[in-house]
Amino acid sequence: MAEPVLLNDQPDERHVLRRAAPYLRPHRRALVVAVAVGLADSAALVAVAPLVGRATDALLADDRTGLLCAAGALLALAVVQLGLARAGELLLAKAGENVVRTLRERCVENLASAPLRFLESHRTGELLRRTTSEVAALASFVRMHLRNIISAVATLVFTLVVLFGYSWQLALVQLVVFVPPALLVMRWFRKDAPGAFGGKAAAEATVAATFTETLTVREALQSARGLPGWMRRFGRENSVAVGAARRAIRVENRIDLVSLVEGLAMVALLLVGGWSVSRDAISVGTVVVFILASRNLFDSFSDISQLVGHVQTARTGLARLLDLLSASDRAREGEPEAEERPGLALRGALDCEAVGYSYRDGTEVLGGVTLSFAVGDRVGVVGETGSGKTTLSKLLCGLYTPDRGAVRFAGVDLKEIPEAELRRRVVLVPQEVRMVTGTVADNLELVRSTPTRADMERAVEELGLGDWIRDLGGLDAEVGVRGGRLSAGERQIVGLLRAALADPAVLVLDEATADIDPVTAERLEHALDGMSADRTLIVIAHRPATIARLPRVVALENGRVVKQMAHAR
């Protein structure tokens, strides 16, 4: 059995931008324009220091014309810089949000089309966090911090150019006093940052997954009074998350030491600059330029150091998103790629031959199952819990791929039928029908063919469900959050109506009448009787009244067919 593709709790964060390049490529023009405007904004900001230095020298030389020119240039620069800052912020935010949108849509598309084995191998909360919280954090970074990062880096580079242009000796003093200690601080931060922030994200994902499962098992926790034990587990995981968050904060606080380094560098600048002016090596205006530009230098480095934590969080989130996309892509690539089969019959027999399947190596759920379902066949599948009935239903629908043997429709292996074509021919109604918040009609529209209102009404009448839908309040009746206003049986009826609208050749029902009241179960059984005669029905059921309606019954035991018998209605 091939092992399912699994997500990495702490994915590799190296070369994360290179791996994200395919998702950036469609937006490269907008990103280039936004970055160019941001660079122009930074250049205008850095140009202030040289203009103030020139004004200082003009003032000391009693050059009124030079002073007025410098003041006019400063005023014009302030206006231009204001416009560039506004435009750069808007352009970068728009381009960044479009990139995030691309990632979000790709995540949804990948998960919606991922193999069932991949989805079932992960906790719902983990997948939910990566497609919601990680994307939201990335979007927040784009809106609040991305422009600041670009501006700080550009200002840092442009400021260094200005400083070396005025006095390379004084610039070297600044760099020697400031850069090595600051880099040591940053290196200390980066040493533990990936583990600290990655551990924090993984711990929070575990808490989110457990919280999601709390909602899923809430009834069991209340009825069996298992809440204290569950809360102890949640408390342990929450403690781990708090510890991971504290570690991340301690690592992030290391960068505050850069402020101390800034103070030492400014003292060195004033001492060396004053000494150079006294020797007429440089002008007072040059010292003013260095003081103002150094302020830009320190502020930029400080901004970068303060934003490093946000960058690391965004980098971790992006790595986890890319890991999800990569893993879901690999899971889909692991599925056989079917070629188009335009001549495939709309109706045909469904056969499985020597089918075997395992969820884990060495634990076979189905072993050597061979069955044939002719066109229009009505077959019940029975067996004790754990006998392999649900696994068989998913194999018959192509949701699982057999580890050995084959399942064929009209003589064609399901692996060779494109997904869209297979879903037109074989449909599964699971025991727990998933619904969305909205009306009955909203839920019936969750069919590939997007049925019209007339199609829905026709399906209701064909299945003899007119009275039921009218009692419910019609197709526009609200079903509540995830169908909460409907009973389990009524949700099954909605699932059956969806299947009828899809008009498959084969309809598989997995425990459709289990755990529902007798009245609704009988209504569901009558609706099954209303299915067209050329549609194959495979019904997995425990309810004797449901089985009694079917002319043939297949019995499973320990993953093998132990009996096939005709069953009089």
Side-chain angles (χ1 to χ4, degrees):
M1 184 200 79
E3 289 296 322
V5 178
L6 297 177
L7 297 174
N8 191 336
D9 285 339
Q10 294 189 19
D12 187 5
E13 297 180 18
R14 294 173 297 178
H15 313 301
V16 69
L17 285 179
R18 185 186 304 171
R19 302 202 305 272
Y23 308 103
L24 300 175
R25 196 168 294 120
H27 311 285
R28 59 183 179 274
R29 180 175 299 176
L31 287 169
V32 167
V33 172
V35 171
V37 173
L39 293 178
D41 172 33
S42 298
L45 179 65
V46 172
V48 170
L51 286 174
V52 173
R54 181 169 297 181
T56 301
D57 285 337
L59 180 64
L60 293 175
D62 201 22
D63 181 4
R64 296 186 62 186
T65 302
L67 180 61
L68 289 175
C69 288
L74 276 171
L75 179 61
L77 192 63
V79 174
V80 171
Q81 198 265 332
L82 180 63
L84 289 172
R86 178 64 175 168
E89 182 178 2
L90 292 175
L91 288 171
L92 193 58
K94 182 179 179 181
E97 288 287 358
N98 283 333
V99 172
V100 172
R101 175 185 175 183
T102 298
L103 289 170
R104 183 186 292 116
E105 290 176 348
R106 184 64 184 273
C107 284
V108 172
E109 180 184 351
N110 274 28
L111 289 182
S113 58
L116 199 59
R117 179 177 284 188
F118 174 78
L119 298 176
E120 292 179 343
S121 300
H122 296 89
R123 300 174 75 182
T124 303
E126 170 66 15
L127 298 176
L128 185 64
R129 177 176 173 79
R130 295 209 185 193
T131 52
T132 55
S133 299
E134 306 292 8
V135 173
L138 193 58
S140 176
F141 174 79
V142 166
R143 285 192 299 269
M144 300 174 61
H145 306 300
L146 181 58
R147 176 183 175 274
N148 294 336
I149 283 288
I150 294 175
S151 176
V153 172
T155 301
L156 184 66
V157 173
F158 293 154
T159 298
L160 288 174
V161 171
V162 168
L163 292 180
F164 275 94
Y166 270 81
S167 172
W168 64 267
Q169 298 94 337
L170 203 53
L172 282 179
V173 170
Q174 281 287 83
L175 293 182
V176 169
V177 175
F178 176 70
V179 173
L183 289 179
L184 285 175
V185 171
M186 297 303 297
R187 184 179 179 182
W188 188 32
F189 170 82
R190 289 183 60 82
K191 175 185 175 183
D192 296 322
F197 285 91
K200 176 175 175 284
E204 288 176 349
T206 300
V207 171
T210 300
F211 181 76
T212 302
E213 290 178 353
T214 302
L215 300 178
T216 304
V217 299
R218 62 189 184 280
E219 293 181 0
L221 292 176
Q222 293 174 0
S223 60
R225 299 186 181 278
L227 187 59
W230 187 259
M231 288 304 297
R232 285 193 294 272
R233 171 183 171 178
F234 190 79
R236 288 193 299 270
E237 294 176 351
N238 208 22
S239 296
V240 171
V242 170
R246 286 176 175 171
R247 183 191 175 202
I249 291 172
R250 286 196 298 270
V251 171
E252 189 172 4
N253 284 342
R254 294 175 184 176
I255 56 182
D256 290 338
L257 293 174
V258 173
S259 298
L260 176 61
V261 180
E262 289 178 10
L264 294 175
M266 187 60 75
V267 170
L269 171 63
L270 291 174
L271 292 176
V272 177
W275 177 73
S276 299
V277 169
S278 67
R279 297 177 61 250
D280 293 326
I282 58 175
S283 68
V284 175
T286 297
V287 176
V288 171
V289 169
F290 264 82
I291 292 173
L292 293 177
S294 294
R295 189 68 266 163
N296 286 339
L297 182 71
F298 298 152
D299 287 346
S300 297
F301 200 92
S302 177
D303 288 343
I304 292 172
S305 64
Q306 293 297 325
L307 289 167
V308 162
H310 297 293
V311 171
Q312 183 60 53
T313 299
R315 184 183 179 188
T316 299
L318 181 58
R320 289 167 64 81
L321 269 179
L322 294 177
D323 180 56
L324 172 63
L325 293 173
S326 175
S328 54
D329 280 338
R330 293 198 309 275
R332 291 194 299 175
E333 290 168 1
E335 296 292 301
E337 187 172 346
E339 298 180 359
E340 293 295 326
R341 305 188 69 93
L344 184 65
L346 289 175
R347 294 286 190 267
L350 185 66
D351 305 295
C352 57
E353 180 181 349
V355 166
Y357 187 83
S358 301
Y359 289 101
R360 299 187 303 274
D361 286 332
T363 307
E364 196 171 54
V365 179
L366 290 178
V369 173
T370 299
L371 291 168
S372 181
F373 306 95
V375 176
D377 213 352
R378 300 289 200 269
V379 182
V381 179
V382 299
E384 297 294 329
T385 300
S387 61
K389 303 187 301 300
T390 295
T391 301
L392 176 62
S393 71
K394 293 178 179 178
L395 287 165
L396 292 175
C397 295
L399 296 174
Y400 288 169
T401 301
D403 295 327
R404 57 188 176 88
V407 181
R408 298 184 178 89
F409 175 83
V412 181
D413 196 315
L414 298 191
K415 295 185 295 185
E416 301 175 7
I417 303 176
E419 180 78 11
E421 293 297 313
L422 179 58
R423 293 296 152 250
R424 289 181 59 195
R425 290 160 176 80
V426 187
V427 169
L428 171 69
V429 179
Q431 182 175 355
E432 186 176 353
V433 174
R434 302 293 182 181
M435 301 187 69
V436 298
T437 304
T439 65
V440 175
D442 291 335
N443 281 273
L444 294 182
E445 286 179 349
L446 301 180
V447 179
R448 183 180 296 271
S449 58
T450 314
T452 64
R453 186 81 170 199
D455 294 332
M456 298 178 194
E457 292 170 350
R458 185 163 50 252
V460 168
E461 294 304 324
E462 286 177 356
L463 298 184
L465 296 170
D467 292 340
W468 174 76
I469 199 70
R470 281 188 289 274
D471 291 342
L472 197 64
L475 292 172
D476 293 322
E478 292 287 338
V479 300
V481 178
R482 295 187 294 275
R485 292 184 180 178
L486 303 184
S487 67
E490 288 172 328
R491 290 195 290 272
Q492 283 288 346
I493 292 175
V494 173
L496 189 61
L497 280 169
R498 282 182 192 158
L501 288 166
D503 190 27
V506 180
L507 178 60
V508 182
L509 291 95
D510 182 13
E511 301 285 9
T513 58
D515 302 323
I516 64 176
D517 64 274
V519 174
T520 306
E522 186 175 358
R523 180 179 283 123
L524 188 61
E525 289 159 359
H526 279 296
L528 290 175
D529 293 339
M531 289 282 181
S532 58
D534 63 344
R535 178 174 292 130
T536 303
L537 276 179
I538 303 171
V539 182
I540 296 171
H542 280 109
R543 181 178 158 85
T546 304
I547 298 298
R549 290 175 175 271
L550 303 168
R552 184 159 70 97
V553 176
V554 173
L556 290 181
E557 185 176 320
N558 296 324
R560 299 181 184 276
V561 177
V562 295
K563 186 186 297 184
Q564 295 192 55
M565 57 186 173
H567 196 292
R569 293 200 233 190

